[in-house]
Amino acid sequence: MKWKFINVLLLTLGVYVLYNAYNVLAGFFTGVRGTMVIYRLGFEIPLNGQSLLGYGLFFMILGVLFLLAPMLINRIRMRRGVTEKV
């Protein structure tokens, strides 16, 4: 039961981070520029092309890693023979 909760938590966190990556990259592709900053996941991201693209790609990679983490954890647990009682 504990591992199912952890898996759901990691998947939820991955979707949330990917949503923020989408918001940041949408600002890059629509051409939002200026001297202001936006706040995403605790980061102040300046509204210039390089920062939006960099942070957006970083959030995307981080979100994909969170989405893949439950599969990797389960694969490692199965190799070690650790099973959960139902």
Side-chain angles (χ1 to χ4, degrees):
M1 186 70 170
K2 175 179 73 168
W3 287 105
K4 289 181 184 179
F5 177 73
I6 291 172
N7 288 344
V8 169
L9 185 66
L10 286 171
L11 289 174
T12 306
L13 187 60
V15 169
Y16 179 70
V17 172
L18 280 177
Y19 173 73
N20 282 295
Y22 169 76
N23 282 337
V24 172
L25 288 175
F28 172 75
F29 288 119
T30 57
V32 174
R33 304 290 188 268
T35 58
M36 297 173 45
V37 297
I38 57 173
Y39 296 97
R40 293 287 184 255
L41 297 176
F43 292 97
E44 292 181 358
I45 304 171
L47 289 178
N48 61 33
Q50 185 177 4
S51 294
L52 288 173
L53 185 62
Y55 279 100
L57 291 176
F58 171 71
F59 291 158
M60 185 182 300
I61 291 169
L62 190 64
V64 168
L65 287 176
F66 278 128
L67 286 177
L68 293 177
M71 289 186 291
L72 296 174
I73 290 172
N74 287 336
R75 183 173 291 173
I76 291 170
R77 290 180 66 229
M78 291 300 170
R79 282 188 183 168
R80 291 185 179 179
V82 177
T83 59
E84 187 172 319
K85 296 179 181 177
V86 178

